[in-house]
Amino acid sequence: MNQHQPTIIRDRTPVSDAVLTLHDVKVHYPVKEGLLQSVTGHVRAVDGVDLTIGRGQTLGLVGESGCGKTTLGRVIAGLVEPTGGDLWVNLTAEQQRDVDRLRAVEPASMTAADRAAWQSLQTGHRLGSMSRENQRAYRRNCQVVFQDSFASLNPRQLVRDIVGRPLRVHQGLSGDRLNAKVGELLDMVGLGSQHMYRYPHQFSGGQRQRISIARALALNPEFVVLDEPTSALDVSVQAQILNLLVDLQGELGLTYLFITHDLGVVQHLSTTIAVMYLGQIAEYGPTDLVFNDPLHPYTRILRDSNPSLDGENDATEWELTGSVPNPISPPHGCRLHPRCPVARAECGWSVDDVLTDIEDRAPLLFETISRVERQDDFTADVTFDTEVSARAFADRLQASRAHDAVDRPLEIADATVSVSFREVPDATLQQLREGRLTSCTRTQNLGALPPIHETRR
Ligand code: SF4
């Protein structure tokens, strides 16, 4: 991670007491190919995430499978090293403002007071710059409950050893004191100390998840990352585990990061929601407002696709088209635009978008492409086997919304179509109202979600 990297300040409202603050966090995995295993690109699993998790809050992190939410949860829990960005621990609102301000200042332009403040913030609060002891303390203070309790519990160990391990390692407990503490934890999660001498396979899925929760709470953490903790369970058992988590939070004052693909699960549990799409945060805000008045088309579509949710679901014909784009080369502009029902010229279009579109929706025409000569991501000559195919491609493009984004008329010469799109900046998460952030540039410009009657061409 860079020690100091000036970056765009994403507007945000600092929370009064943040357990964790993320700035521009990235996890890019190299893609290696060939005999020499050369790096040919990067999978951008997490790509510039800014988030603040307030103490005592439950932040619901939601999104489709593969959007990067689990990787982000693992970064937060210290199980995956980020390849970029910063994680700050225990910042007050004033310190969050200071960090935002100082990150935007070039090191050469810093005053002596700025440098001293920056140094003090880093050594006191930034993971990677704090003392080893403080970093270990953070790791102990942040525990994880995984989705698959069967895989995360050692099948050859007794419950006493699974739940008691952190107590033995970090607190040196053994014998009766260890048994007493493990019994207390098992009682706390509603399992009872009589189960101490059984193995994981002797329990139901819900009971195993209670064991995982007991293990996570062994060191009295303040912050727990819950990674799809109920998605492998039956609906009735799900409700029991969710109720247990709510009770424990009230009793112990815990902070939760609740990761899920199911908005319904977090609707009643989380105070704040962050919606993630293709490695980035699309929308962030208080749960009730995000449900009743979403400020990103993606959130609205996710909400409306779940009929069990309590939001004010107007009838909408909005739906996502196509599949999730490749995270190795995500779309320019707004990442949702190839799938968004209300995308417009300003949402960002490139040569790849039109090629992917005909690959998905006109595969026979796609098969007739013989060559693509790119000047850059926005300008290319696309050559087909025949002039008829070239004209069919041009007709398709002219009838589509992408055509509004061309910066000069299409040129057709024999079997080649020359296309050129206007380049637009990548969308960033911006505050629209206090505590409400969206990355939808149309919503940012309109001050509200695009009109509901709009649909895609
Ligand atoms: S900027 Fe908004 S309207 Fe445009 S594609 Fe993205 S989500 Fe859709």
Side-chain angles (χ1 to χ4, degrees):
M1 287 187 291
N2 291 335
Q3 290 296 305
H4 186 282
Q5 183 186 25
T7 185
I8 304 163
I9 296 180
R10 275 77 162 175
D11 295 340
R12 65 167 119 206
T13 309
V15 300
S16 56
D17 182 10
V19 172
L20 197 66
T21 307
L22 277 62
H23 277 138
D24 205 18
V25 167
K26 294 179 179 140
V27 181
H28 292 182
Y29 296 112
V31 179
K32 296 180 181 171
E33 284 178 11
L35 270 180
L36 298 176
Q37 288 289 283
S38 324
V39 176
T40 55
H42 287 87
V43 175
R44 301 174 186 203
V46 177
D47 201 19
V49 165
D50 293 67
L51 266 186
T52 306
I53 304 172
R55 197 174 305 283
Q57 163 185 105
T58 297
L59 173 65
L61 182 61
V62 296
E64 292 168 290
S65 167
C67 70
K69 58 190 188 304
T70 289
T71 306
L72 183 59
R74 284 167 186 257
V75 169
I76 287 171
L79 303 174
V80 167
E81 193 67 30
T83 53
D86 299 311
L87 288 90
W88 302 84
V89 179
N90 297 334
L91 292 178
T92 63
E94 193 181 342
Q95 287 170 327
Q96 290 163 56
R97 282 191 206 94
D98 285 345
V99 169
D100 279 342
R101 181 180 69 79
L102 291 167
R103 277 177 64 85
V105 181
E106 291 287 350
S109 311
M110 278 189 172
T111 63
D114 283 346
R115 268 195 291 278
W118 184 240
Q119 180 71 16
S120 158
L121 281 166
Q122 293 218 58
T123 52
H125 300 275
R126 181 181 167 275
L127 278 179
S129 302
M130 297 185 334
S131 69
R132 285 192 177 195
E133 181 47 43
N134 284 347
Q135 298 200 53
R136 276 199 293 271
Y138 170 75
R139 302 292 177 222
R140 285 197 293 272
N141 200 31
C142 173
Q143 296 291 323
V144 194
V145 175
F146 296 100
Q147 172 185 352
D148 187 351
S149 57
F150 206 74
S152 67
L153 301 177
N154 188 332
R156 287 188 290 276
Q157 285 190 342
L158 294 167
V159 170
R160 172 189 180 274
D161 298 321
I162 292 169
V163 177
R165 186 168 181 276
L167 298 164
R168 270 203 318 275
V169 172
H170 295 289
Q171 296 180 358
L173 295 191
S174 60
D176 289 347
R177 285 178 64 214
L178 180 70
N179 290 349
K181 182 68 187 170
V182 171
E184 213 177 279
L185 286 161
L186 293 177
D187 285 340
M188 193 189 284
V189 297
L191 211 52
S193 51
Q194 69 274 21
H195 295 293
M196 216 184 292
Y197 293 100
R198 297 174 69 196
Y199 290 95
H201 72 267
Q202 296 175 288
F203 294 90
S204 67
Q207 287 174 320
R208 277 199 300 274
Q209 207 51 301
R210 288 175 191 266
I211 297 168
S212 300
I213 294 168
R215 178 179 59 180
L217 297 180
L219 297 176
N220 295 323
E222 286 181 289
F223 180 27
V224 183
V225 176
L226 302 159
D227 184 5
E228 304 260 16
T230 58
S231 55
L233 305 175
D234 293 342
V235 175
S236 60
V237 183
Q238 269 188 17
Q240 291 167 16
I241 297 294
L242 293 176
N243 287 338
L244 171 67
L245 290 169
V246 171
D247 290 347
L248 289 170
Q249 186 173 40
E251 222 170 286
L252 305 171
L254 298 167
T255 301
Y256 289 147
L257 172 67
F258 198 110
I259 300 169
T260 179
H261 66 280
D262 183 355
L263 255 77
V265 170
V266 287
Q267 185 181 23
H268 299 293
L269 195 78
S270 58
T271 37
T272 313
I273 284 199
V275 179
M276 202 165 172
Y277 181 74
L278 211 55
Q280 298 183 329
I281 303 298
E283 179 166 1
Y284 173 91
T287 304
D288 52 342
L289 295 178
V290 170
F291 272 87
N292 290 319
D293 176 27
L295 293 179
H296 198 291
Y298 182 65
T299 312
R300 178 165 194 127
I301 292 165
L302 279 188
R303 184 199 71 179
D304 292 355
S305 65
N306 189 334
S308 67
L309 297 181
D310 296 344
E312 294 165 4
N313 294 14
D314 297 337
T316 172
E317 292 180 0
W318 285 5
E319 56 182 31
L320 297 174
T321 51
S323 49
V324 179
N326 188 342
I328 296 174
S329 52
H332 289 282
C334 169
R335 292 191 173 186
L336 188 66
H337 78 260
R339 306 178 71 200
C340 179
V342 284
R344 287 287 184 271
E346 68 265 32
C347 300
W349 298 87
S350 66
V351 173
D352 272 347
D353 294 330
V354 286
L355 295 179
T356 305
D357 181 61
I358 63 165
E359 186 177 11
D360 286 349
R361 303 210 281 172
L364 292 179
L365 181 59
F366 183 77
E367 288 300 317
T368 64
I369 296 177
S370 56
R371 194 172 65 245
V372 179
E373 275 181 47
R374 296 164 196 267
Q375 285 174 29
D376 53 37
D377 289 350
F378 304 93
T379 305
D381 293 337
V382 186
T383 303
F384 291 80
D385 290 343
T386 64
E387 189 176 339
V388 173
S389 294
R391 293 202 173 273
F393 170 72
D395 289 347
R396 257 194 95 81
L397 183 50
Q398 273 160 347
S400 76
R401 197 156 289 175
H403 188 253
D404 298 338
V406 296
D407 62 1
R408 56 180 150 83
L410 299 182
E411 289 169 20
I412 307 171
D414 299 327
T416 298
V417 183
S418 301
V419 291
S420 178
F421 292 103
R422 277 191 298 281
E423 190 173 343
V424 301
D426 286 340
T428 56
L429 194 64
Q430 299 287 342
Q431 180 161 288
L432 192 68
R433 300 175 202 138
E434 180 152 348
R436 302 290 315 273
L437 287 87
T438 176
S439 68
C440 171
T441 47
R442 289 200 68 204
T443 302
Q444 290 165 5
N445 293 335
L446 294 166
L449 209 59
I452 192 72
H453 59 266
E454 281 192 19
T455 50
R456 186 188 184 87
R457 282 213 297 265

